Amino acid sequence: GSISAGNVFVQSGGDLNVRGQINTSSQINAGHVYLGAQLGNISLFAPGGTNSRYIDTTSRIGTGGNVDILIGQSGSGLFNGLVTHNNSPRFGPADENSINTGSLMSDGGNINIRILGGTQGGYGTAFPGAMDLMTNSGQEAGNISFYAGGAATLPWSMITRGDKSGNIDIQS
């Protein structure tokens, strides 16, 4: 929306597969995104938009939206937890392959990823895609928080940049 975007709430009892970009960006007030899987993995396929984002809750003037991802128990297989697939080729800095909650002129939103039980990452094989977690801001950047109840392999860049940078908290 140009003034205010809505929120996205998606919850699944098993695996959750998202194909294409989730976008709640706005010129002023961005919307929030909540993804949840009770038992299984959350897979993000094929980032979209001009910046190749999996999830875009950015704002130009107002605050960026928050992204909350909750997995009760990650699934089985080679790739567990929050998994990204089909990354866009990186031809320049605009190709992010990201979850981006930033704001050009105000505060960035927060990114919270929680895996209560099980593992995060790829084990025994190459991970299908890397990802940038970004909360950059023209004022106060958002925070990035990650928790896994088991082992974690994170092929992610975590970037929180602004007049006042946010915190990055990783627990496993």
Side-chain angles (χ1 to χ4, degrees):
S2 60
I3 295 176
S4 182
N7 301 316
V8 173
F9 181 89
V10 182
Q11 189 166 337
S12 172
D15 288 334
L16 176 61
N17 297 312
V18 178
R19 300 194 184 278
Q21 182 186 64
I22 297 174
N23 189 328
T24 63
S25 65
S26 175
Q27 293 293 319
I28 299 178
N29 293 317
H32 305 293
V33 173
Y34 170 83
L35 302 177
Q38 183 177 0
L39 177 60
N41 303 312
I42 296 178
S43 295
L44 305 176
F45 292 87
T50 57
N51 296 97
S52 300
R53 295 175 179 160
Y54 289 102
I55 301 175
D56 184 347
T57 66
T58 58
S59 173
R60 292 188 56 76
I61 298 170
T63 302
N66 295 324
V67 173
D68 290 297
I69 297 173
L70 175 64
I71 298 173
Q73 173 72 42
S74 64
S76 61
L78 296 176
F79 311 114
N80 303 316
L82 178 62
V83 183
T84 57
H85 299 271
N86 305 332
N87 283 104
S88 293
R90 292 196 185 228
F91 295 115
D95 298 314
E96 297 171 4
N97 294 306
S98 71
I99 295 175
N100 193 324
T101 64
S103 174
L104 185 64
M105 299 176 70
S106 188
D107 298 339
N110 299 312
I111 300 173
N112 298 300
I113 301 169
R114 300 277 180 262
I115 301 168
L116 303 181
T119 58
Q120 163 63 43
Y123 297 92
T125 184
F127 209 71
M131 178 171 53
D132 296 335
L133 303 179
M134 306 173 76
T135 66
N136 298 342
S137 163
Q139 293 183 21
E140 185 172 342
N143 300 307
I144 299 171
S145 177
F146 171 83
Y147 170 82
T153 300
L154 303 175
W156 305 334
S157 298
M158 299 181 195
I159 306 159
T160 170
R161 195 179 298 142
D163 288 342
K164 179 180 177 189
S165 294
N167 298 308
I168 298 174
D169 179 35
I170 301 170
Q171 299 179 39
S172 175

